[in-house]
Amino acid sequence: MAAVLSFRQPPSLQPSSPSRNLVRRIPLRVSAQFPESPSSSSSVSTKVVVEEEGEGKLGFSSSSTIIAPPNFKPPEPKRFAIRPDKTFDILSASLALIFRLGTGVFVQGYSASFVSEDEIPPGKYALKIAGLTVKETSKLGPRPEKPIEIYEFESCPFCRKVREIVGILDLDVLFYPCPRNGPNFRPEVSKMGGKQQFPYMVDPNTSVAMYESDDIIKYLVEKYGDGTTPLMLSLGLLTTLTAGFAMIGRMGKGSFYTPSKQPTRPLALWAYEPSPFCKIVREVLVELELPHILHSTARGSPKRQDLYERAGHFQVPYLEDPNTGVKMFESADIIDYLRATYMLPEAQLS
């Protein structure tokens, strides 16, 4: 072994304790169905039902049939290729890496070592740089049995902080997008928590629900991490300011609702917060108010191997739509697919 690189989460600055009136325990009924094997070639089959006692049922419904665009064919993946019309989007989304110093790029307890190529068995994912093979590992905390549920929208700095800790803890999350004027999930947050404030988290594993980004972060690191909050998420106002600066280049993308059809089942996205290619896809998912399971794939995530086995290649973003059977790489093409499949005709004409 020629060299070893270690990346550890720095000690935390102790955040304040959550306010008790921001934490609610609510009766929930949640069922999630996933393929038994992550390497299965079948589409993700995810059905999530959340029910509040006395509040009725929150689920997915669609008044129209969801079909892929005519003659649609998923593109071949091209590593690090940028379609010319998306160059500005990728560059402006990359500003976040500077302002947030790469927070969310690595999972908790990440370490990497240079090894010879023959130390990586066939069929195993490994990063290769300039002819060198990098073996990556991590030390993750307890895994939630069911996906955490988060109501949020892209251009909110408080929501970004929570998305970063999701990547660091390598959690799968069911995101309910809440763009401004969104008719579906913003009203549900008011019903569940009493006000429209974001992010709003529901943990179906513990029946805990709460507002306030710092409280959500503290809860997640204590429940599913090692109890320490990463430095860049522990700086109070500075954390919030840099999270806001990180999104300046996107000029409000991912904030406003675009009229759309609702899927009967949430889409599945393999992605991680700091990637500019993943960012522009997430913005469109939010604008179209499309619920989706995010499979976090920051560096060191075991789900990189899962996707490698599932798709025969690792690259993110990767989308699976169980409503149409479509599975695809390439951020620009994913955006085109989402708009062609889910955007209502009147929105396309505006």
Side-chain angles (χ1 to χ4, degrees):
M1 183 180 296
V4 176
L5 301 176
S6 293
F7 298 82
R8 305 287 182 189
Q9 296 298 335
S12 66
L13 300 181
Q14 189 64 30
S16 58
S17 300
S19 302
R20 292 186 179 180
N21 63 343
L22 298 175
V23 180
R24 301 179 65 210
R25 292 184 179 271
I26 57 178
L28 298 171
R29 180 171 64 80
V30 179
S31 64
Q33 298 173 356
F34 299 91
E36 291 184 2
S37 170
S39 60
S40 169
S41 61
S42 62
S43 300
V44 171
S45 177
T46 307
K47 182 179 181 181
V48 181
V49 177
V50 181
E51 186 170 308
E52 274 199 85
E53 190 174 282
E55 289 285 342
K57 179 169 151 181
L58 170 61
F60 300 96
S61 62
S62 179
S63 59
S64 56
T65 302
I66 305 297
I67 58 173
N71 303 317
F72 175 78
K73 183 179 179 181
E76 291 296 321
K78 307 176 188 68
R79 188 174 295 276
F80 302 122
I82 302 177
R83 205 170 73 182
D85 62 313
K86 297 297 181 185
T87 300
F88 174 78
D89 289 321
I90 295 301
L91 291 176
S92 59
S94 298
L95 289 176
L97 289 166
I98 300 171
F99 285 109
R100 296 296 297 144
L101 302 181
T103 304
V105 169
F106 304 106
V107 301
Q108 188 176 56
Y110 176 85
S111 64
S113 56
F114 293 107
V115 299
S116 61
E117 188 172 355
D118 57 11
E119 289 187 47
I120 305 297
K124 290 293 184 181
Y125 165 78
L127 175 66
K128 295 185 178 180
I129 304 175
L132 299 173
T133 301
V134 181
K135 183 178 180 180
E136 300 172 290
T137 60
S138 57
K139 294 180 180 179
L140 301 176
R143 303 290 81 194
E145 181 181 349
K146 302 167 187 173
I148 309 299
E149 299 169 17
I150 297 178
Y151 296 75
E152 54 90 62
F153 61 100
E154 259 293 328
S155 62
C156 165
F158 302 99
C159 298
R160 181 186 177 91
K161 290 160 55 178
V162 171
R163 294 195 302 268
E164 287 178 349
I165 199 62
V166 162
I168 292 168
L169 298 178
D170 197 44
L171 298 174
D172 284 352
V173 169
L174 173 57
F175 279 108
Y176 291 98
C178 298
R180 292 183 175 92
N181 302 321
N184 294 298
F185 304 119
R186 277 188 169 243
E188 291 298 333
V189 172
S190 296
K191 291 179 183 177
M192 291 187 290
K195 55 185 175 180
Q196 285 195 15
Q197 179 179 309
F198 305 95
Y200 182 72
M201 183 208 73
V202 176
D203 186 349
N205 303 280
T206 60
S207 297
V208 167
M210 64 174 68
Y211 294 103
E212 297 297 336
S213 57
D214 289 340
D215 294 339
I216 293 171
I217 290 169
K218 185 174 187 296
Y219 170 83
L220 291 175
V221 299
E222 290 180 351
K223 188 70 179 176
Y224 302 113
D226 62 6
T228 60
T229 301
L231 178 63
M232 284 297 291
L233 289 168
S234 303
L235 301 177
L237 179 59
L238 182 59
T239 294
T240 303
L241 288 174
T242 55
F245 292 150
M247 295 180 285
I248 286 177
R250 300 307 296 139
M251 297 180 289
K253 297 286 187 181
S255 295
F256 300 98
Y257 174 66
T258 298
S260 62
K261 308 171 191 174
Q262 277 292 290
T264 56
R265 290 183 286 176
L267 286 67
L269 181 69
W270 277 259
Y272 64 111
E273 179 65 18
S275 164
F277 297 94
C278 298
K279 175 62 58 182
I280 62 174
V281 170
R282 266 270 308 167
E283 289 171 350
V284 175
L285 284 167
V286 171
E287 290 169 353
L288 295 175
E289 209 182 15
L290 300 178
H292 54 283
I293 293 277
L294 177 72
H295 300 286
S296 300
T297 55
R299 298 232 65 95
S301 169
K303 288 192 285 294
R304 290 191 167 224
Q305 176 63 32
D306 294 344
L307 179 56
Y308 184 83
E309 294 175 4
R310 189 182 194 90
H313 175 74
F314 177 82
Q315 183 175 311
V316 289
Y318 177 72
L319 179 80
E320 288 192 344
D321 186 346
N323 304 282
T324 63
V326 165
K327 309 170 191 178
M328 61 187 299
F329 294 99
E330 292 300 319
S331 57
D333 295 282
I334 291 174
I335 289 171
D336 290 345
Y337 164 79
L338 292 173
R339 288 176 172 159
T341 304
Y342 290 100
M343 188 184 294
L344 290 177
E346 56 265 33
Q348 296 175 357
L349 295 174
S350 62

